[in-house]
Amino acid sequence: MKEFELKYGCNPNQKPARIYMKDGSELPVQVLNGRPGYINFLDAFNAWQLVKELKEATGLPSAASFKHVSPAGAAVGLPLSETDRKMYFVEGEGDLSPIACAYIRARGADRLCSYGDWAALSDVCDADTARYLKGEVSDGIIAPGYTEEALEILRTKKKGNYNVVQIDPAYVPAQQECKDVFGVTFAQGHNDSKIDESLLENIVTDNRELPESAKIDMIVALITLKYTQSNSVCYVKDGQAIGVGAGQQSRIHCTRLAGQKADNWYLRQHPKVLGLQFVDGIRRPDRDNAIDIYTSDEYEDVLADGVWQQTFKVKPEVLTLEEKKAWIATQSGVTVGSDAFFPFGDNVERARKSGVQYIAEPGGSIRDDHVIATANKYGITMAFTGLRLFHH
């Protein structure tokens, strides 16, 4: 296939639209089901690069959940804990494959933002992953291959219209990439910067302790940021992005946004949240929305008389502000990455409130000394990578 005609571009009025290779060669993808659109392919190609690099860097099956050309979540295929299974509602699923665990954890970073996502897998999609995806609201998936059973399951999704794309894992893009904006062509070298443990050797803080688990988390953060619309900050724990702040003009706003998402992820592990008793047959999106509202300042919207009965079997107790603060204060072992330097120590101050103990950022600010001093104040380990990761 040398060309694929799209329904329209970013918006319905942007026609005609297509994807093709400028040199006239074959596209590196096959559409096995559905009819992906312009934004679908933007998500698919960015997401594929992320999971491919993450697998190469860690050796672990990797997955991502993309929305509007930024990851809502990304993760490596570590086993799900009992708490994970409760959080992601897969308690009765038995043993799950590593690639299924990777996607479940990737989508679990921010289930609201993953609503209608594009899924990406570093490994062949198996039946475990396909069965999980079938129950989620998702626009499509890209993977290097599919088992027959997985493909059969996915082809029943969305009344047979679910987008399934297979990519050639051996495909290497051209060294120069171009795009047109306002009729002007931009050209630059492809960002082939390699992210691995060698970037983490320049530890600039008094605390130089950096366990292997934190190194993996730093790599997850940095590779996630490489494919996140800038400015961006990413919080990671146990090989899973738990908060991504994308596209903010101010660095501190990225840190706050991603930190709030990390806090929300952790609040979903609160005993009151895990103990919520939902009505039978509730749809996953309705359940996820209810949890989001319940843990927010707008909790009365789901707990009011005459309203809570639509969602819960038993009226939940309020999760108070004091309880939320106390719970978030117990979070620890979190890593944060930034796609460019922290200009002020306020980013470190905000990050440590969400349990951050490890930081990876490029360095290079005229206030690096202040940022380092702030990290030292809290015993945080910080590595300067020297690598900026802007993505637009």
Side-chain angles (χ1 to χ4, degrees):
M1 181 174 65
K2 293 187 177 182
E3 178 178 309
F4 186 82
E5 183 179 354
L6 307 172
K7 191 174 181 180
Y8 49 75
C10 284
N11 298 291
N13 63 296
Q14 292 177 274
K15 298 177 182 178
R18 59 180 175 142
I19 61 169
Y20 64 99
M21 304 297 285
K22 294 183 73 172
D23 64 2
S25 61
E26 294 284 324
L27 285 164
V29 292
Q30 298 179 60
V31 178
L32 304 182
N33 200 68
R35 188 185 177 188
Y38 189 98
I39 295 174
N40 290 152
F41 274 115
L42 288 177
D43 282 340
F45 292 142
N46 278 281
W48 165 249
Q49 292 178 86
L50 191 163
V51 299
K52 182 176 185 289
E53 290 187 31
L54 195 51
K55 171 70 177 288
E56 290 172 351
T58 65
L60 297 167
S62 304
S65 172
F66 256 65
K67 279 286 293 292
H68 293 292
V69 206
S70 280
V76 294
L78 299 176
L80 299 174
S81 68
E82 289 305 312
T83 299
D84 290 335
R85 286 176 173 270
K86 290 180 180 178
M87 286 175 67
Y88 308 140
F89 300 95
V90 290
E91 290 179 87
E93 296 300 321
D95 292 336
L96 292 164
S97 66
I99 193 61
C101 290
Y103 179 69
I104 292 168
R105 299 172 85 234
R107 190 177 180 102
D110 187 341
R111 289 187 56 82
L112 257 67
C113 286
S114 286
Y115 181 89
D117 73 336
W118 190 278
L121 309 179
S122 66
D123 293 18
V124 170
C125 179
D126 61 7
D128 283 350
T129 312
R131 277 190 289 268
Y132 183 78
L133 258 172
K134 185 178 180 181
E136 299 288 357
V137 177
S138 172
D139 277 359
I141 180 174
I142 187 168
Y146 300 83
T147 66
E148 289 186 12
E149 185 179 4
L151 192 55
E152 183 178 341
I153 293 168
L154 294 173
R155 280 176 168 159
T156 66
K157 186 172 171 62
K158 293 184 74 170
K159 299 180 179 179
N161 294 315
Y162 187 64
N163 295 311
V164 180
V165 175
Q166 181 169 316
I167 188 162
D168 177 3
Y171 169 69
V172 177
Q175 281 301 300
Q176 187 177 71
E177 55 190 21
C178 304
K179 70 176 179 179
D180 292 350
V181 179
F182 196 52
V184 178
T185 299
F186 289 64
Q188 65 176 354
H190 180 71
N191 187 358
D192 55 5
S193 57
K194 188 174 179 60
I195 295 173
D196 56 25
E197 289 190 10
S198 67
L199 287 179
L200 313 178
E201 295 173 354
N202 184 21
I203 297 177
V204 297
T205 46
D206 293 339
N207 188 348
R208 302 182 60 81
E209 182 181 355
L210 190 61
E212 286 301 315
S213 59
K215 290 180 182 179
I216 291 175
D217 287 353
M218 284 185 173
I219 289 170
V220 171
L222 294 172
I223 293 177
T224 299
L225 291 167
K226 187 177 178 182
Y227 298 102
T228 303
Q229 298 299 300
S230 300
N231 287 322
S232 57
V233 167
C234 179
Y235 291 63
V236 176
K237 186 172 183 179
D238 297 332
Q240 172 186 354
I242 60 173
V244 180
Q248 303 302 302
Q249 290 75 24
S250 167
R251 181 74 36 192
I252 186 61
H253 288 161
C254 294
T255 306
R256 289 171 183 165
L257 175 60
Q260 182 61 57
K261 290 184 176 185
D263 292 345
N264 291 344
W265 173 84
Y266 192 54
L267 281 173
R268 290 172 58 195
Q269 301 178 46
H270 192 283
K272 282 190 174 180
V273 179
L274 293 178
L276 292 172
Q277 300 181 49
F278 294 97
V279 296
D280 295 335
I282 188 170
R283 296 174 63 248
R284 288 186 185 181
D286 294 332
R287 179 197 59 204
D288 292 331
N289 285 335
I291 291 173
D292 185 68
I293 296 170
Y294 173 72
T295 56
S296 76
D297 295 337
E298 312 296 327
Y299 59 87
E300 291 180 349
D301 290 352
V302 290
L303 296 187
D305 287 338
V307 175
W308 68 262
Q309 293 92 335
Q310 301 171 30
T311 304
F312 304 107
K313 292 180 178 179
V314 179
K315 184 176 182 179
E317 294 181 3
V318 173
L319 183 59
T320 67
L321 179 61
E322 292 74 19
E323 288 175 313
K324 287 189 284 189
K325 286 182 176 179
W327 182 256
I328 291 169
T330 67
Q331 172 75 297
S332 64
V334 177
T335 292
V336 74
S338 178
D339 67 353
F341 61 69
F342 283 154
F344 300 100
D346 56 355
N347 291 276
V348 178
E349 293 279 3
R350 173 60 189 87
R352 67 99 186 171
K353 293 177 182 177
S354 295
V356 167
Q357 291 180 266
Y358 310 98
I359 296 175
E361 59 123 319
S365 168
I366 60 172
R367 301 177 183 83
D368 274 348
D369 56 346
H370 180 234
V371 176
I372 293 170
T374 308
N376 284 335
K377 181 168 68 172
Y378 298 110
I380 291 171
T381 301
M382 182 162 61
F384 279 180
T385 66
L387 180 66
R388 196 178 79 172
L389 293 166
F390 279 176
H391 181 63
H392 292 286

